[in-house]
Amino acid sequence: MNMMSATECLLEMCDEHFELEDYQSGVPRWCTGCGDNAILAAVQRLCRDEALLPEKTVFVSGIGCSSRFPHYMKTYGFHGIHGRALPVAEGVKMARPDLTVFVNTGDGDCTSIGAAHWIHAIRYNMNLTVFLHDNQIYGLTKKQASPTSPIGTKSNTTPRGSYLEALNPLTVTLGVQNVSFVAQAVDWIPEVLFDIVKAAYHHKGLSFVRIVQRCPEWLPTALDPWMHDPNRVQLLSHENGLQISDGMSRIYKNQLQHDPSNIDRAREIASGRDNIPVGILYRNTSVPCYEDLRLSDKLRTPELTRTGLNAELDKYTVWPQPAEQKAGK
């Protein structure tokens, strides 16, 4: 048995210890009161508590207010194009299964232009942690209705009010084959938000977390009925789910014991209209991950990556002609 020296132990402890500042990059430019700020704080706390190596952590996003997330994380990041965050993240995970990969996407980015990628990402169940920042409006492009905008929402594209019922990301996700983890959080309960973010990170498979968040610029009062009335938020607790603290229980008394292994009950809860269910709706650890089925735990080595890149680049290389060929012309 190999024994580490005291010096080696101290060096390893230093390497494994991080502060919040180690994950903070730049000053967020979101509006004051935007729920994205709370989500960023929860995720940075997770990275610190789990001592995630910045060089082994990747944040992928598409387009929208929420998609500026990688800019504010001192890790690797990929700010992609509209609706394509999930296939990019899947490619990263397939090529480098040893990396921790997070996805930040908005209600328009995910459930509109990216809807097909969203459905198939759930089906593939790759080991990704996906946060859907749902403020029920297109914020970055200045107040257009999104698929999750409630019926009657007045916006630049629906000046007389939206005509359709809002799409429910929870029920849609729970209806896809191979779904393995679905949860819902709200940005104004930071303690529970962090607990859900942590549970999602520890799940092996695709963790889908819808986070209901405020948009103070375009829908400043839309969530007031739920924010100001704790009884309209229903906390889901269970020995195999979230454990609600005494402090939270004194404020949020509307609680439900829900076994997250029961998908039929999860669908019922997700379909409710009056209360916002907050907690883990469904978790199934037996669903296989696509990258495990395809890679069989074989890590792509640097040499294999280099060979593959060179082979692709060689297709477009213009090689210099030998002198005798030039003379023949």
Side-chain angles (χ1 to χ4, degrees):
M1 180 178 179
N2 294 326
M3 299 295 292
M4 296 177 64
S5 68
T7 302
E8 290 173 328
C9 288
L10 286 172
L11 288 173
E12 184 168 314
M13 287 174 65
C14 291
D15 288 341
E16 293 179 352
H17 179 74
F18 295 94
E19 301 292 344
L20 281 175
E21 292 78 9
D22 295 318
Y23 302 99
Q24 296 172 343
S25 177
V27 178
R29 296 178 61 187
W30 293 311
C31 301
T32 301
C34 174
D36 288 331
N37 293 289
I39 300 169
L40 178 66
V43 172
Q44 288 177 338
R45 178 185 167 191
L46 172 79
C47 291
R48 180 201 63 186
D49 291 358
E50 299 295 331
L52 298 185
L53 297 175
E55 68 272 18
K56 301 278 281 186
T57 305
V58 184
F59 283 84
V60 181
S61 68
I63 293 296
C65 294
S66 63
S67 294
R68 291 197 57 82
F69 208 95
H71 294 267
Y72 307 136
M73 295 298 303
K74 196 180 292 184
T75 63
Y76 280 106
F78 191 104
H79 192 166
I81 60 176
H82 205 193
R84 306 308 191 256
L86 285 164
V88 170
E90 289 167 334
V92 172
K93 192 66 179 180
M94 182 62 73
R96 290 289 304 274
D98 58 311
L99 300 180
T100 299
V101 183
F102 296 90
V103 178
N104 295 87
T105 182
D107 43 296
D109 190 57
C110 176
T111 69
S112 182
I113 189 172
H117 296 304
W118 166 37
I119 298 303
H120 288 286
I122 299 298
R123 176 171 165 260
Y124 276 52
N125 192 44
M126 299 185 73
N127 193 18
L128 308 170
T129 305
V130 180
F131 300 121
L132 170 60
H133 302 227
D134 189 358
N135 58 12
Q136 305 171 356
I137 200 75
Y138 280 86
L140 188 65
T141 49
K142 310 298 186 285
K143 198 179 181 180
Q144 292 82 32
S146 87
T148 64
S149 296
I151 191 169
T153 299
K154 292 184 178 181
S155 71
N156 292 334
T157 51
T158 57
R160 296 180 179 85
S162 56
Y163 295 98
L164 298 177
E165 288 282 353
L167 181 148
N168 186 332
L170 299 177
T171 55
V172 173
T173 304
L174 286 165
V176 180
Q177 192 71 20
N178 292 338
V179 60
S180 69
F181 184 101
V182 180
Q184 179 160 262
V186 293
D187 73 61
W188 61 88
I189 312 179
E191 178 180 325
V192 180
L193 170 61
F194 174 75
D195 290 342
I196 292 172
V197 166
K198 183 176 180 179
Y201 163 73
H202 283 287
H203 174 75
K204 190 173 189 300
L206 191 140
S207 304
F208 181 84
V209 182
R210 181 204 188 191
I211 305 174
V212 180
Q213 63 156 113
R214 293 163 289 175
C215 178
E217 181 66 25
W218 306 118
L219 296 177
T221 62
L223 295 171
D224 282 359
W226 291 271
M227 285 182 58
H228 300 317
D229 184 0
N231 288 324
R232 297 195 65 180
V233 174
Q234 186 176 60
L235 298 185
L236 308 179
S237 62
H238 193 266
E239 60 181 358
N240 296 323
L242 292 186
Q243 308 299 313
I244 307 301
S245 69
D246 292 339
M248 284 291 100
S249 295
R250 285 192 291 270
I251 300 172
Y252 296 94
K253 299 178 181 179
N254 182 6
Q255 297 186 24
L256 176 68
Q257 283 287 313
H258 167 62
D259 183 352
S261 66
N262 188 337
I263 192 169
D264 293 325
R265 183 64 178 131
R267 289 167 177 159
E268 289 180 21
I269 296 170
S271 300
R273 292 178 177 270
D274 295 329
N275 299 323
I276 295 181
V278 171
I280 301 173
L281 285 94
Y282 182 66
R283 177 165 54 197
N284 183 354
T285 59
S286 66
V287 182
C289 295
Y290 185 73
E291 66 269 30
D292 292 340
L293 297 174
R294 290 295 307 274
L295 297 176
S296 301
D297 297 326
K298 293 179 181 177
L299 182 63
R300 186 170 296 184
T301 64
E303 182 57 37
L304 183 60
T305 301
R306 190 179 301 109
T307 301
L309 283 173
N310 285 334
E312 289 301 313
L313 293 173
D314 284 348
K315 296 177 182 178
Y316 306 98
T317 300
V318 178
W319 298 104
Q321 294 182 350
E324 58 270 17
Q325 289 187 13
K326 292 183 178 180
K329 290 184 177 180

